[in-house]
Amino acid sequence: MARCLTLARTRHSEGAVTVPRDFAESAGFRSDLVIGREESFGAAREQLARGGSVLLHGPAGIGKSTVLRTLAAEYARTSHTVLRCSATESESHLPFLALADLLGLVLDDVSQALPAAQRTALESALTGRGESTLQRDGLALRLAVLSALRALAAAGPVLLVADDLQWLDPASAELLGFAARRLGETPVRLLCAVRTEGPETEDAAYDRHLRASPPDTRAVRLGPLTRAQVATLLGERGYAGLHRATVRDIHRTSGGNPLFALELGRALAESPAAPRPGEPLPVPTSLRALVLSRLEMLSDEARRTLLVASAGARPTPALLRAAGRENAEAETAQAAALGLLATDPEGPTVRFAHPLISAALYAEAPAPERRAAHAALSTAASDPIERARHLALATTGTDPEVAARLAEAASLARDRGAPSVAASLGLLAARHTPADSAPGPDERRVAAAEDAITAGEQDLARDIAREVLTRATAPGDRVRAWMVVIEAAGQAIGEVDAVFPQALADAGDDPRLLAQVHYQLAWRSLVVQGDFAQGREEAAHAARLAARGADRRTELLALAFQAQCETLMGHPDAPATIGRALAEPQDPRVACHHNGAGSSRFRWLVMSDRLAEARATATTLLREVRRRGMAESEVHYLRFLAETELHSGHCGRALELARESLTLARDAGIGEGAGAMQAALAEAAGGDPGRALELAREAVRRAEEDGDAVYLSRALAALGHANLVAGDAGAAVRALRRVRELEAGAGITDPARGRWQGDLAEALVRTGEPAEAMDVIEVSRAHALRLGRGSVLAVLDRAEALVRADRGEHRAAVARLTSARERLAGLGYGLEEARAAFALAELHAERPGRAPGAASYDEATRLFRRCRALPWLERVEAAVAARSAGPSPAPAATPDGLAGLAAMERQVAALVMEGATNREIAARLFVSVKTVEATLTRVYRKLGIRSRVDLVRLAAGGRTD
């Protein structure tokens, strides 16, 4: 059992500012939860596992202590002795204090192992008896610490844990550094943490501490958390109900610092009302105290100047002067000298050293002073959006002129591609709009909610819409608000079923309003019921209603939806409907929307094997939605591009795009299931098959939870493919059979929609079910021939070649594979071409009389390497290694009784006869152990035997009864 000797003194600081220990703990410390530190934590863990030492570094509150404690708890189990100390700023002047923390309780255990002079010096230093100093007893003390650590290590590994090295008293630091540099192979590991502030001083700070560490110490930097990680952290600590816009503000204000983010989250949770647009986050007293002490050192005029800077979006000295701060340069220089402002070599912007300083300064200022700062900026700012925002924040009560200027600013922000800013300005406009104005406050709130949807802030949009519905009476405002509620539900549209009757009642007989409701009913038919035919009919009805009501935007969306359904159904009207959706006049926002005609045309191009045009279309659309700030559409177009690159055999690029799409989806909380599905396919092709399985399972789970019939089949197809690549043909069959059932029930006949048919047929062959494989191929081929899906036909031919090879028809199999490979190459499907070449190599390697070797696999290796298809390259290498290890028994050498077995069954039986275990057989044949077991069961049944022993006897010509 490890002996844990700890004498950790109460900490009074963590980082550049004083942080009381009870404050740090109140943030919700859990030693078993390290969020957003996977890479850093993994690097430290790897270093400690191989016997090295670790130095964690980063700014105050960044999570060093959390990581240190978690690592210490983990590695204490493998250490015989654990020594701990935690330095404090207030006690850093006391010599040997940290050394006493570390060695005080083990002094009796090691003292007898020390020479008398060393023992005397160490006891004097640790107990305070006598007058030991480094100047007088320097060598004896240095050697005593080294000898003490060696004596402890003689009984077993020692882990030395030290937090806040920057406050270590100089005497202890000198002694520990001396010992650390001389420990050599002694099993003593150091796990330490030190505060470093910013890139300007960081290198020098931790370099100094590295020089005092063992030579094999690894420095691990902890940086700020991302917005998604801050959201996860807040959710884990009980603050899960915050809007994504609020989480964004917390992330910005905290600078990604987890300690600060948690305190801001707690303040919001305790606040009676959420801050309105333009209002600051409630900065708790605990955080204000961290920075306000330095603010008190400023002159009153300098503080007023900093308040104006904190109110501005991009303050510069020129802007501050225009806002009436005549001595802005001198006053900002004074603030910079106190560490409140950071110099910006890139430009003249006045930048706070940490966003929290700006937030605390603004929150601390009285409301009249804040309004005065905004009033000054409303005339000084050059940007009309900024001027309107400052005017609103300087004004109290309703004011139609201010409201109109804000509405104009929102429109300008929308045109600039800043829908989040437009939503904020729209809410400010609604606040300042008198109740009897036209447009009224509710109409402006609904517009703000629609902007929030565009920005990917669904939760904010939903709340705004529900607020409107509590009091709005105008049918137009109510229906638009209902549409926002439905849009905010995303793929979980079944959860808002109760909305549709209310929306239809509010729409009355107005064709313009009815069109909007029926467009959403089309989505419901597709997503909830999985009924493409019904979805198509609803969309067509919505398009007709929109045309009657002169609502071109809804008409275009409905036509695009109808075209998408027809494309997936293999309906002959699809090209004509796409043409109608692309006809003039166009709405620019619909044209680039992920549910617009451009998206429908992209899908049709991909399914028609026009990959170059599809890539160009998606690239153009992605550029436009990024310009417009359309967050959800950006997520989808990144995924579309990843799909195109994957078809083209550019696996590395596909993986990058899929990962980027999934990261954005997780950050915004939109399209996560679809993102996981595409990322799974990309990982299976060019990344990690294990990660592919995880993502595919996540995609299936999300689709099932949302009741999303559309993406459930796509997610299951990804799961089946990932299982096939991972070598589990049985699991692939189970997933892909479900896809087949779902798509048949939904009326999807175009095999280019999910392209899963070839995978299912291949998996069925591997599990010994070639008859079902052939049925899949023939049914899919009929639809592919009708629709002219050349790449699908080639993949089906590749799958049929496997069936024919299983039947022993080698010549026909080779002919089909050769033709399939050539056609796939001509169409630009690089990965599928490489898979055909691999299957051809396998077939050649198994031909009777052919010597095993790598030559037949060279072409497959070349093609997979060109695609950067790493999982497939590993499969080729494994196949070459298996063949090189020795030839499988030739069919002529196998007993006549095996002649009636299928090819897979013969292979498994022959390997059993060689003495291979089930696991070895699975590795040789790229299948799972369960598949081997199932195949053996069929072999036993067909041969009338009961066990592996009977098979071996059969091989030797012996009796089996």
Side-chain angles (χ1 to χ4, degrees):
M1 179 181 293
R3 179 174 43 161
C4 186
L5 302 170
T6 305
L7 185 61
R9 296 179 179 271
T10 302
R11 295 195 313 147
H12 296 294
S13 66
E14 183 174 319
V17 290
T18 300
V19 182
R21 185 176 180 80
D22 59 351
F23 165 62
E25 293 292 341
S26 71
F29 169 74
R30 283 174 53 190
S31 61
D32 62 333
L33 185 60
V34 180
I35 294 172
R37 302 300 183 202
E38 292 78 10
E39 185 175 346
S40 301
F41 194 81
R45 173 185 278 157
E46 179 184 342
Q47 176 73 357
L48 290 170
R50 59 171 174 250
S53 296
V54 171
L55 178 66
L56 304 170
H57 63 99
I62 205 66
K64 302 182 298 299
S65 295
T66 301
V67 174
L68 181 133
R69 292 170 190 169
T70 306
L71 287 166
E74 181 174 327
Y75 283 92
R77 294 191 294 269
T78 61
S79 301
H80 183 267
T81 304
V82 179
L83 307 174
R84 301 175 190 262
C85 76
S86 187
T88 66
E89 183 178 13
S90 61
E91 298 170 339
S92 60
H93 65 285
L94 299 175
F96 306 123
L97 185 60
L99 194 66
D101 281 354
L102 291 168
L103 299 178
L105 293 182
V106 296
L107 182 59
D108 292 343
D109 296 346
V110 300
S111 60
Q112 297 307 312
L114 305 180
Q118 294 179 24
R119 182 169 61 250
T120 300
L122 185 59
E123 288 176 348
S124 177
L126 297 187
T127 63
R129 295 191 295 271
E131 298 180 358
S132 181
T133 65
L134 275 181
Q135 287 73 25
R136 193 180 70 184
D137 303 317
L139 181 58
L141 275 172
R142 288 173 171 84
L143 293 174
V145 173
L146 180 59
S147 299
L149 291 174
R150 284 174 174 165
L152 290 170
V158 175
L159 178 65
L160 190 155
V161 183
D163 202 358
D164 281 327
L165 283 187
Q166 73 276 2
W167 305 129
L168 216 64
D169 63 273
S172 296
E174 168 61 27
L175 294 172
L176 289 174
F178 175 87
R181 291 190 295 272
R182 290 163 177 80
L183 284 170
E185 299 300 319
T186 306
V188 176
R189 290 174 296 180
L190 271 66
L191 174 57
C192 306
V194 63
R195 185 206 71 201
T196 51
E197 290 292 342
E200 299 87 358
T201 61
E202 190 170 65
D203 291 345
Y206 79 77
D207 276 351
R208 175 165 52 85
H209 291 285
L210 269 179
R211 287 194 295 272
S213 303
D216 64 346
T217 299
R218 179 171 184 173
V220 177
R221 181 181 183 275
L222 300 183
L225 299 182
T226 65
R227 187 168 77 177
Q229 290 165 348
V230 165
T232 301
L233 178 66
L234 291 167
E236 290 286 351
R237 305 301 171 87
Y239 311 125
L242 300 172
H243 285 168
R244 287 186 176 85
T246 303
V247 173
R248 179 192 62 210
D249 291 342
I250 290 176
H251 178 254
R252 183 181 63 246
T253 303
S254 69
N257 185 298
L259 183 67
F260 299 164
L262 286 170
E263 283 300 300
L264 289 166
R266 184 172 67 172
L268 278 166
E270 293 173 352
S271 177
R276 295 189 298 179
E279 291 182 345
L281 291 176
V283 181
T285 304
S286 55
L287 290 185
R288 293 188 196 188
L290 300 181
V291 296
L292 293 181
S293 58
R294 279 183 283 174
L295 287 171
E296 291 172 358
M297 301 171 67
L298 289 172
S299 66
D300 290 343
E301 291 301 311
R303 186 164 178 157
R304 291 191 186 95
T305 295
L306 286 198
L307 175 60
V308 175
S310 70
R314 292 174 297 277
T316 63
L319 177 64
L320 295 175
R321 286 196 304 273
R325 308 311 303 164
E326 298 177 356
N327 299 315
E329 282 86 350
E331 288 158 355
T332 54
Q334 180 188 355
L338 292 171
L340 295 166
L341 297 179
T343 56
D344 189 352
E346 301 296 325
T349 303
V350 175
R351 184 166 59 88
F352 285 88
H354 192 283
L356 186 61
I357 297 173
S358 174
L361 172 65
Y362 188 91
E364 188 73 8
E369 289 187 18
R370 291 205 298 258
R371 285 197 295 271
H374 285 297
L377 288 167
S378 69
T379 57
S382 58
D383 184 82
I385 292 177
E386 278 299 294
R387 288 200 301 271
R389 185 180 75 88
H390 288 301
L391 180 61
L393 295 174
T395 305
T396 58
T398 60
D399 186 321
E401 183 179 345
V402 171
R405 287 183 58 181
L406 284 164
E408 291 171 6
S411 177
L412 181 57
R414 199 176 299 125
D415 291 340
R416 288 183 181 178
S420 180
V421 174
S424 177
L425 291 167
L427 288 175
L428 285 171
R431 188 197 307 175
H432 291 287
T433 300
D436 57 352
S437 294
D442 284 334
E443 185 174 347
R444 282 177 168 154
R445 287 189 184 93
V446 172
E450 291 168 344
D451 284 325
I453 285 284
T454 302
E457 296 174 4
Q458 273 77 0
D459 43 9
L460 174 62
R462 185 188 303 111
D463 284 357
I464 297 171
R466 292 199 181 280
E467 181 187 355
V468 169
L469 288 165
T470 61
R471 57 169 175 259
T473 57
D477 290 345
R478 292 187 62 79
V479 170
R480 284 175 67 190
W482 287 125
M483 295 306 99
V484 168
V485 172
I486 295 170
E487 286 280 355
Q491 296 301 116
I493 191 172
E495 296 179 1
V496 292
D497 260 357
V499 164
F500 288 99
Q502 299 176 73
L504 285 169
D506 283 331
D509 57 1
D510 186 330
R512 187 182 183 91
L513 300 180
L514 284 170
Q516 296 177 46
V517 182
H518 281 280
Y519 171 68
Q520 295 295 350
L521 281 169
W523 275 106
R524 184 189 177 281
S525 298
L526 189 63
V527 174
V528 178
Q529 299 171 280
D531 191 335
F532 278 71
Q534 178 63 29
R536 174 180 178 269
E537 289 303 317
E538 285 283 7
H541 182 44
R544 291 191 293 269
L545 286 168
R548 280 173 48 200
D551 180 0
R552 183 60 173 166
R553 179 182 185 276
T554 303
E555 182 185 8
L556 290 169
L557 284 169
L559 287 170
F561 183 94
Q562 180 184 343
Q564 190 118 254
C565 286
E566 291 172 350
T567 299
L568 298 175
M569 294 168 63
H571 196 287
D573 290 349
T577 307
I578 291 175
R580 289 172 62 201
L582 289 170
E584 296 294 339
Q586 282 290 313
D587 182 316
R589 295 182 184 280
V590 174
C592 64
H593 194 275
H594 62 277
N595 288 327
S599 174
S600 298
R601 183 170 182 271
F602 164 83
R603 178 60 51 206
W604 181 78
L605 288 169
V606 169
M607 295 173 70
S608 301
D609 298 327
R610 295 161 67 172
L611 296 181
E613 290 178 73
R615 181 186 295 107
T617 298
T619 301
T620 300
L621 290 168
L622 176 62
R623 187 182 305 118
E624 181 63 14
V625 298
R626 278 177 166 166
R627 188 184 72 81
R628 292 181 176 275
M630 299 168 69
E632 186 174 5
S633 292
E634 180 178 1
V635 168
H636 285 287
Y637 286 129
L638 283 168
R639 181 168 57 81
F640 290 174
L641 267 179
E643 177 186 352
T644 309
E645 298 296 354
L646 201 55
H647 288 321
S648 302
H650 305 149
C651 298
R653 177 61 176 154
L655 191 58
E656 291 173 5
L657 290 164
R659 286 173 175 172
E660 184 181 357
S661 175
L662 182 58
T663 298
L664 288 177
R666 294 203 195 289
D667 193 27
I670 49 179
E672 292 181 73
M677 176 271 297
Q678 190 61 51
L681 293 171
E683 291 284 355
D688 178 358
R691 177 66 175 150
L693 284 168
E694 291 174 13
L695 288 165
R697 292 185 186 114
E698 178 192 341
V700 171
R701 175 179 56 78
R702 286 184 180 276
E704 289 176 335
E705 288 174 353
D706 291 343
D708 184 352
V710 175
Y711 271 112
L712 178 57
S713 63
R714 296 291 304 276
L716 285 166
L719 179 59
H721 179 75
N723 274 306
L724 186 63
V725 174
D728 193 343
V733 167
R734 290 191 293 275
L736 295 172
R737 276 177 176 158
R738 283 189 67 193
V739 178
R740 192 182 189 193
E741 293 168 5
L742 287 169
E743 293 205 350
I748 299 172
T749 61
D750 194 332
R753 189 245 179 176
R755 300 176 182 270
W756 48 266
Q757 298 83 1
D759 282 347
L760 176 55
E762 180 177 337
L764 286 166
V765 171
R766 290 189 178 278
T767 55
E769 300 169 87
E772 184 181 347
M774 203 61 216
D775 178 63
V776 171
I777 292 167
E778 288 173 349
V779 171
S780 303
R781 181 177 284 142
H783 291 302
L785 283 169
R786 173 175 61 85
L787 297 167
R789 305 304 192 215
S791 62
V792 174
L793 288 168
V795 168
L796 292 172
D797 279 357
R798 185 185 70 205
E800 184 178 346
L802 300 180
V803 176
R804 290 182 177 275
D806 186 75
R807 294 172 179 169
E809 303 171 14
H810 280 268
R811 181 171 297 179
V814 168
R816 283 201 176 267
L817 278 174
T818 303
S819 171
R821 181 193 160 185
E822 291 172 353
R823 284 179 286 148
L824 288 166
L827 291 168
Y829 285 79
L831 183 58
E832 298 294 355
E833 177 196 359
R835 287 181 64 180
F838 184 29
L840 198 57
E842 291 275 79
L843 199 57
H844 284 315
E846 292 172 1
R847 289 184 66 180
R850 185 179 180 90
S856 60
Y857 293 96
D858 286 348
E859 183 63 5
T861 299
R862 182 185 71 81
L863 292 174
F864 281 133
R865 186 172 289 124
R866 183 184 69 182
C867 293
R868 291 179 59 189
L870 303 182
W872 289 99
L873 275 172
E874 291 173 3
R875 290 190 61 171
V876 174
E877 290 168 2
V880 171
R883 300 291 175 190
S884 301
S888 299
T894 59
D896 292 340
L898 301 189
L901 300 179
M904 170 68 79
E905 294 165 350
R906 287 198 304 274
Q907 287 179 305
V908 170
L911 289 169
V912 168
M913 292 173 179
E914 286 183 348
T917 66
N918 286 2
R919 189 169 297 280
E920 290 168 342
I921 295 169
R924 289 276 296 273
L925 300 180
F926 306 110
V927 296
S928 69
V929 174
K930 289 184 179 179
T931 299
V932 173
E933 293 169 350
T935 304
L936 274 176
T937 300
R938 291 194 302 273
V939 169
Y940 298 157
R941 185 176 64 249
K942 289 182 178 181
L943 297 181
I945 61 178
R946 294 187 295 273
S947 68
R948 297 170 65 93
V949 174
D950 290 341
L951 258 182
V952 175
R953 287 174 179 166
L954 186 63
R959 293 174 60 84
T960 61
D961 55 358

